Amino acid sequence: MPDSVWLDELNPQQRAAATHGDGPLLIIAGAGTGKTKTLAARVACLLERGVPAERILLLTFTRRAAQEMISRAEHYTRHSSRLAVRSSRVWGGTFHAVANRLLRQHGHAVGLTPDFTVLDQSDAEDLLNLVRQEMGLHSREKRFPKKGTLLEIYSKCVNSQQPLEKVVPRDFPWCAGFDEEMTRLFAAYTDRKQQIHVLDYDDLLLFWFHLMRTAEGGRRTAERFDHILVDEYQDTNKLQADVLRAMAAAKRNITVVGDDAQSIYGFRAATVRNILDFPKQFPGATVITLEQNYRSVQPILAAANAVIARARHRFTKNLWSERRSEQRPLLVSCVDEAQQCRFVCTRILEQLEAGVPLRRQAVLVRTGHWSDMLEVEMSRRNIPYRKFGGLKFLEAGHVKDLLALLRLLENPRDQVSWLRVLNLLPGVGGATANGVLRFLAANNHDFRSLAHCTVPIAARERFRELATMLTELAGEGNALSAQIERIRQFYEPVFRDIYDHAEVRIRDLEQLAAMAVSFGTREEFLSDVTLDPPSGTSDWAGAPVKDEDWLTLSTIHSAKGCEWDVVFLIHATDGVIPSDLTTGNAVEIEEERRLLYVALTRARNWLYVCFPLRYYADKHVLGDRHSYAQLTRFIPNDVRALFEQVTLTLPKPPSGGRGGAKVETDARAKIRGLWSSEGG
């Protein structure tokens, strides 16, 4: 067992987890208990024990998380230059990135060659929609699900390993009645992907799963690693758990870290059962619970503990902190949404004047539209904010265009990329594009044959330039940066004809070229930018925030993993938390309870939970139709006692007609007179 000074930085539970020997290990890490530090320390301990870095697999849900843990492991082993260098060779990354890497090395066992390309989500939607149209499912008298919904249904079936007839009634009831058509559509979509040699995100996991079921390929893949470590295990789906069980079946050296109380991604097919059932799936597993919280003051933890204590199925833990405070979290009852907005903005500014910068404050909502009225009030009060959103990098049309051209060089059979590129040319519509695709297929997808392909007169010049460029770059010996530069020579004149604000968008193309410098091959670059894309593009959906300070406005789901000094949770009413769309069964309701727990545990020092009693039916129309709401069912009376309760009221009108004021007419008598026998 290592005897390093840095182990003294860990509390007893963290140290026990980091120095655990062989065999399955489950680390139940409550909110703010230092799970990243613990997992990084475990990687460092394995290195010090002599486990080769390249035989350690670290699976996370973002590349940044993997890099952070490996960087910390390097910090812990900095006294040993040998270990610090070795730690950089740890296999770290997301499930999909690791699957992509393994399938390119061992995919032949399941019928894959290494030159497949990966579709991002929007491209997968487009291909599914193309097949949908070819099957005539777009022109029905009865509404048929759109491409985005169809891909969600397909993905939910794949990742939950559940049949269509179970997934649709439970999660997509408005799509019921089309099971037969969707089954045929998904079969045709699967066939088309295999024909054109592309994989979508779900395929990466599916092929990894089937690879592990092969005798030779599964054995060789599993034998690559002596230890497997998994972060955020509560967010895994059934397919991922099945893959991990197969990977760890022989050596059983698997460490998973997570918190059942923060399992909130059921809509992505994640299931809390994976972490709850881990001790059953790996008999003899050691379970270590991290309960010391380094984030929140104790009164906030007391309220959060009380909320999650009512969960039906959970690992028992009681978060505690050495950070004491006399200030309990505030439970604020507002008359209506407008008063809630005024209260929140007033307290934000009070906290700012008290020395808490806006960037250390956040407002959390169940879903994005619940902040509409608050955004108006914050703008009126001159409170700058950033709302999680904007146009994602890979969703920007000009970025997708350039990547499509690169994908054609990697995989000339990529039908989605061909259709995107051909539609850039003037005079080319669906019929012409399909004609070009048939021509290519008949000529073995040889770019040189394009010189003999017939296209409309308006497109001939650009089509000839496209064919020349693809033929030039199809050969060996072109550096990736040179390929992108050559593509830009062809693309930029097309790009300027199609898109407005070209000078703003051009920076994204420059960013792509700069990113490509650090990659050795086109395949590596395409896989990386598809599986772990930049979050944003120069073409933002709104004006940039130029203020020196700003507040965060976020959904609870997006806030997971974050923390702020001051947190406002708004609309904590039944029907919002839990959402009235997720109260169909006990499983959904329990996930909503965990969602509230996640929101509460984001706060370090101050927590405001606000709920308006009255909602107007037409928020943006003058009218008075309204309904009354109740506080969320997850904060019953005994939990309320852990909050400081504040009840806001409407301002009283100024007093006037009392104390001897003259009565000019006895209206009461006149009204009574309406019903008297003598009349008015």
Side-chain angles (χ1 to χ4, degrees):
M1 182 179 296
D3 185 21
S4 302
V5 174
W6 53 266
L7 283 174
D8 295 336
E9 301 175 10
L10 308 179
N11 66 39
Q13 290 73 35
Q14 291 173 332
R15 181 167 182 146
T19 58
H20 173 76
D22 291 341
L25 171 65
L26 169 61
I27 305 172
I28 300 297
T33 57
K35 73 172 180 64
T36 300
K37 181 178 184 180
T38 304
L39 201 55
R42 176 142 181 78
V43 172
C45 285
L46 291 173
L47 292 171
E48 290 200 336
R49 281 174 44 192
V51 178
E54 61 275 12
R55 298 189 66 81
I56 299 174
L57 174 61
L58 175 60
L59 288 165
T60 60
F61 278 83
T62 65
R63 180 171 59 177
R64 181 180 177 186
Q67 291 174 336
E68 169 68 13
M69 291 180 197
I70 292 172
S71 176
R72 289 198 187 193
E74 289 177 355
H75 173 74
Y76 291 145
T77 58
R78 66 189 182 280
H79 62 281
S80 169
S81 58
R82 176 179 60 86
L83 292 180
V85 171
R86 286 176 55 205
S87 63
S88 63
R89 300 206 305 268
V90 169
W91 272 58
T94 65
F95 276 87
H96 294 97
V98 169
N100 176 70
R101 189 174 172 186
L102 288 172
L103 290 172
R104 294 192 188 278
Q105 296 178 0
H106 304 289
H108 58 273
V110 286
L112 283 179
T113 54
D115 58 344
F116 63 83
T117 49
V118 181
L119 299 175
D120 63 45
Q121 182 161 335
S122 63
D123 282 339
E125 288 181 4
D126 289 342
L127 181 59
L128 184 58
N129 195 51
L130 177 65
V131 177
R132 172 180 178 266
Q133 291 176 346
E134 291 175 355
M135 295 177 67
L137 296 174
H138 64 298
S139 57
R140 302 175 56 97
E141 293 182 3
K142 187 176 180 181
R143 182 184 63 152
F144 192 75
K146 294 292 189 180
K147 62 180 182 179
T149 302
L150 288 167
L151 190 64
E152 284 185 45
I153 295 171
Y154 170 85
S155 185
K156 194 71 172 283
C157 291
V158 169
N159 288 294
S160 66
Q161 297 287 277
Q162 293 181 340
L164 193 67
E165 55 268 23
K166 186 172 183 178
V167 168
V168 171
R170 184 191 63 210
D171 300 318
F172 305 90
W174 64 94
C175 300
F178 296 112
D179 285 11
E180 181 182 346
E181 292 92 336
M182 285 192 285
T183 298
R184 290 192 291 109
L185 173 61
F186 295 157
Y189 170 62
T190 300
D191 288 342
R192 182 65 57 85
K193 286 184 293 180
Q194 294 178 4
Q195 289 167 10
I196 64 177
H197 208 51
V198 299
L199 274 64
D200 60 24
Y201 288 154
D202 299 321
D203 287 327
L204 290 169
L205 297 181
L206 272 176
F207 275 96
W208 188 4
F209 169 77
H210 287 290
L211 172 63
M212 298 311 300
R213 294 169 69 90
T214 63
E216 184 63 19
R219 180 187 61 80
R220 292 181 61 187
T221 304
E223 285 182 349
R224 295 187 67 103
F225 306 106
D226 293 333
H227 283 267
I228 300 171
L229 299 91
V230 188
D231 188 23
E232 302 285 11
Y233 192 64
Q234 79 280 347
D235 294 335
T236 55
N237 58 49
K238 187 178 186 302
L239 182 57
Q240 290 167 325
D242 289 344
V243 168
L244 289 171
R245 280 200 297 275
M247 290 284 291
K251 299 178 183 177
R252 301 185 79 243
N253 289 332
I254 180 169
T255 297
V256 301
V257 182
D259 182 5
D260 54 291
Q262 297 186 68
S263 179
I264 59 173
Y265 293 111
F267 63 93
R268 296 180 186 167
T271 171
V272 71
R273 295 310 319 176
N274 284 347
I275 192 167
L276 292 176
D277 294 341
F278 185 86
K280 296 178 184 177
Q281 295 167 351
F282 291 92
T286 299
V287 180
I288 296 175
T289 303
L290 308 184
E291 295 181 300
Q292 184 175 358
N293 179 284
Y294 296 92
R295 174 186 299 157
S296 306
V297 293
Q298 187 58 42
I300 292 176
L301 295 179
N305 286 335
V307 166
I308 204 62
R310 285 170 169 74
R312 292 188 176 188
H313 306 286
R314 70 187 186 102
F315 287 106
T316 302
K317 58 183 172 296
N318 191 52
L319 298 184
W320 62 275
S321 173
E322 293 181 346
R323 300 187 62 232
R324 302 295 167 179
S325 173
E326 297 300 318
Q327 176 61 57
R328 290 180 293 169
L330 283 81
L331 185 62
V332 184
S333 170
C334 309
V335 173
D336 55 22
E337 188 176 0
Q339 189 181 56
Q340 175 182 250
C341 294
R342 293 193 296 270
F343 171 81
V344 168
C345 289
T346 297
R347 287 302 176 98
I348 288 171
L349 294 174
E350 287 177 359
Q351 292 283 1
L352 179 63
E353 290 301 315
V356 183
L358 292 176
R359 63 182 175 273
R360 297 302 309 153
Q361 302 186 51
V363 178
L364 305 184
V365 292
R366 173 62 178 83
T367 51
H369 68 88
W370 285 113
S371 66
D372 291 352
M373 186 178 291
L374 178 64
E375 291 178 55
V376 173
E377 182 70 9
M378 286 196 294
S379 297
R380 190 181 72 81
R381 301 276 198 110
N382 195 29
I383 301 174
Y385 63 91
R386 281 187 175 175
K387 186 176 182 180
F388 282 102
L391 191 61
K392 289 186 170 56
F393 192 77
L394 286 188
E395 294 172 359
H398 52 293
V399 174
K400 292 185 69 64
D401 293 343
L402 193 142
L403 291 177
L405 287 161
L406 275 176
R407 286 196 179 98
L408 289 183
L409 293 169
E410 192 67 18
N411 178 11
R413 291 169 286 182
D414 188 338
Q415 188 175 7
V416 175
S417 294
W418 268 119
L419 290 175
R420 182 169 197 94
V421 168
L422 291 172
N423 283 324
L424 295 173
L425 308 182
V428 173
T432 300
N434 286 324
V436 173
L437 290 177
R438 288 193 296 271
F439 178 88
L440 276 165
N443 287 274
N444 202 28
H445 295 93
D446 187 339
F447 293 137
R448 292 171 296 184
S449 69
L450 292 174
H452 308 289
C453 183
T454 302
V455 295
I457 294 175
R460 285 179 186 172
E461 182 179 354
R462 288 275 165 83
F463 186 78
R464 185 177 64 253
E465 293 171 357
L466 171 65
T468 300
M469 182 265 295
L470 292 174
T471 302
E472 288 177 7
L473 296 181
E476 300 292 331
N478 293 299
L480 179 57
S481 57
Q483 293 179 45
I484 292 181
E485 183 57 36
R486 178 66 180 89
I487 288 173
R488 284 182 59 184
Q489 290 176 13
F490 161 77
Y491 176 62
E492 284 194 22
V494 181
F495 161 80
R496 292 178 183 278
D497 288 343
I498 295 174
Y499 295 110
D500 296 328
H501 310 297
E503 295 308 318
V504 174
R505 295 171 183 258
I506 205 80
R507 289 199 293 270
D508 292 323
L509 304 184
E510 294 170 353
Q511 182 183 0
L512 275 175
M515 290 165 57
V517 172
S518 59
F519 291 88
T521 68
R522 185 171 56 223
E523 179 275 314
E524 290 175 355
F525 172 67
L526 285 172
S527 295
D528 186 86
V529 78
T530 302
L531 297 173
D532 191 18
S535 60
T537 157
S538 301
D539 186 28
W540 287 102
V545 176
K546 297 182 178 180
D547 202 288
E548 62 181 358
D549 196 11
W550 60 83
L551 175 134
T552 296
L553 181 58
S554 173
T555 64
I556 303 172
H557 285 98
S558 296
K560 185 170 173 288
C562 302
E563 62 179 59
W564 294 272
D565 289 349
V566 182
V567 168
F568 299 85
L569 173 63
I570 61 175
H571 295 292
T573 57
D574 225 80
V576 179
I577 305 176
S579 167
D580 52 11
L581 298 177
T582 57
T583 55
N585 56 59
V587 172
E588 292 178 338
I589 292 174
E590 285 302 295
E591 180 162 315
E592 292 289 303
R593 185 194 307 278
R594 296 192 293 269
L595 194 64
L596 175 61
Y597 173 81
V598 168
L600 302 183
T601 53
R602 300 309 95 197
R604 297 187 72 251
N605 302 324
W606 287 82
L607 172 64
Y608 299 85
V609 177
C610 304
F611 65 103
L613 297 174
R614 183 166 58 202
Y615 286 92
Y616 287 94
D618 302 304
K619 294 168 63 173
H620 305 293
V621 179
L622 292 178
D624 200 36
R625 290 195 303 121
H626 64 273
S627 59
Y628 286 96
Q630 299 182 38
L631 176 65
T632 173
R633 69 189 71 179
F634 304 134
I635 304 181
N637 288 336
D638 57 331
V639 179
R640 285 196 198 195
L642 299 170
F643 288 79
E644 177 183 330
Q645 298 183 52
V646 178
T647 301
L648 304 181
T649 59
L650 288 175
K652 293 181 179 180
S655 59
R658 302 178 71 90
K662 179 181 179 182
V663 177
E664 297 184 18
T665 183
D666 189 352
R668 292 180 299 172
K670 289 182 177 292
I671 292 171
R672 288 196 305 271
L674 292 173
W675 311 106
S676 68
S677 58
E678 298 178 2

